[in-house]
Amino acid sequence: MMKIFYFTGTGNSLYVAQQLGGELLSIPQVMKDDRIEIQDETVGIVCPIYSGDMPKMVHHFLERAKIETDYFFMVYTYGMDATVATPHASEAAEKAGIRLDYVAQIKMVDNYLPGFSMEEQKKTAPEKKIQEQIDKACQDIAARKREAYPVTLARKASMAMIWQTIGKRVLDDKAAQRYTVSDACTKCGICTKVCPARNIRLTDCVEFGSCCEVCYACIQNCPQGAIHLPDEKSRERFRNEHVNLQEIIEANCQL
């Protein structure tokens, strides 16, 4: 048996998780539980890479969860550079008392709006051979492939440098307070439903709190494209073509 825990903002990680098989469990939903105790032959996490690391909520999940398994793996989705995500995974697993057996990194469409034009990123999908990467990860996990992922002093230095130069600035809890909402907003409430952190409130306007996961689910999934970053590269939006809005809502909704 296999349990797969996933975190997704725009569907990339959910799409990968769906193809791995096993029982799928949304990390934002599991985090509602007072106690998180997991036992299975195989346990995996599928999530995106944010500034060279796993999302904050995935870190918190690993800190809280008591996991007992014979085989533990992580599958990362990313768009440009995986940097030090694997050492972060190894360090987080060690702190949680779990042996990390395998890590896969799937290069997909990058949906980081401050860095990339969504129009141009969507064009890169064929050359990334996404399905081939997913198939390889599926085969490795089915074969229980095991590798060593030591966290060396050099990797620790790289992890610290990336956090200080990029991560601390990008993964800001108050990041959403810099988002703007245009007159195109119809107050449909989708943004409140796709937020995994319950960081958005809808009154007579859209209000953002101070516990943002910086997943851009609200921005990328807004039906009207009404939510904007001050430094976004385009107004085009992205959601994985194999995942629908209702699936994102079911994965993330905290209302």
Side-chain angles (χ1 to χ4, degrees):
M1 296 294 292
M2 176 165 64
K3 286 185 172 66
I4 299 174
F5 297 84
Y6 69 93
F7 180 96
T8 193
T10 58
N12 279 344
S13 293
L14 175 53
Y15 175 59
V16 172
Q18 288 170 338
Q19 295 192 65
L20 292 175
E23 180 184 0
L24 297 187
L25 297 138
S26 161
I27 288 176
Q29 304 302 355
V30 171
M31 289 291 282
K32 295 176 183 177
D33 297 339
D34 293 332
R35 299 179 66 181
I36 306 174
E37 297 182 349
I38 302 157
Q39 288 184 318
D40 215 317
E41 292 176 6
T42 300
V43 174
I45 292 176
V46 184
C47 68
I49 294 173
Y50 294 161
S51 299
D53 198 354
M54 65 185 74
K56 292 176 290 184
M57 189 176 288
V58 179
H59 267 294
H60 295 154
F61 168 75
L62 279 170
E63 290 165 3
R64 285 188 55 202
K66 181 182 178 182
I67 301 174
E68 295 183 14
T69 185
D70 294 328
Y71 185 80
F72 178 66
F73 69 88
M74 286 199 65
V75 177
Y76 279 120
T77 58
Y78 73 106
M80 183 55 62
D81 193 346
T83 61
V84 292
T86 294
H88 273 298
S90 185
E91 184 177 70
E94 183 179 350
K95 287 180 180 178
I98 316 165
R99 182 188 66 243
L100 180 62
D101 294 300
Y102 174 75
V103 178
Q105 297 171 339
I106 313 294
K107 193 170 187 177
M108 305 179 78
V109 171
D110 199 312
N111 46 48
Y112 181 57
L113 282 165
F116 304 97
S117 158
M118 294 300 94
E119 295 93 334
E120 294 303 313
Q121 270 299 301
K122 289 176 183 179
K123 295 176 184 176
T124 69
E127 67 191 49
K128 291 178 178 177
K129 298 181 179 179
I130 296 168
Q131 194 58 51
E132 290 183 23
Q133 296 179 72
I134 296 172
D135 290 345
K136 174 64 163 56
C138 289
Q139 292 166 10
D140 287 347
I141 293 165
R144 299 299 185 264
K145 183 176 181 180
R146 298 179 190 269
E147 295 185 10
Y149 302 100
V151 182
T152 63
L153 290 176
R155 285 174 175 170
K156 279 184 175 288
S158 295
M159 290 156 69
M161 181 192 70
I162 291 172
W163 171 250
Q164 289 296 330
T165 57
I166 303 173
K168 185 187 294 186
R169 172 175 52 84
V170 173
L171 301 179
D172 180 4
D173 292 342
K174 297 182 180 180
Q177 294 180 7
R178 295 189 289 274
Y179 301 170
T180 58
V181 181
S182 74
D183 292 339
C185 175
T186 62
K187 299 183 178 62
C188 67
I190 293 298
C191 56
T192 67
K193 296 176 182 177
V194 298
C195 177
R198 201 170 188 173
N199 191 52
I200 305 173
R201 191 162 67 105
L202 183 63
T203 55
D204 57 340
C205 62
V206 177
E207 299 178 1
F208 298 99
S210 57
C211 57
C212 182
E213 284 289 323
V214 201
C215 65
Y216 298 153
C218 60
I219 300 173
Q220 299 281 24
N221 290 290
C222 173
Q224 307 303 322
I227 306 175
H228 297 278
L229 286 158
D231 53 352
E232 63 189 31
K233 296 297 183 183
S234 70
R235 299 216 163 192
E236 180 80 11
R237 297 300 184 239
F238 172 80
R239 183 169 62 245
N240 187 289
E241 63 179 339
H242 303 287
V243 173
N244 60 49
L245 178 58
Q246 186 58 37
E247 289 176 300
I248 302 291
I249 292 172
E250 290 173 0
N252 291 350
C253 187
Q254 300 296 303
L255 301 180

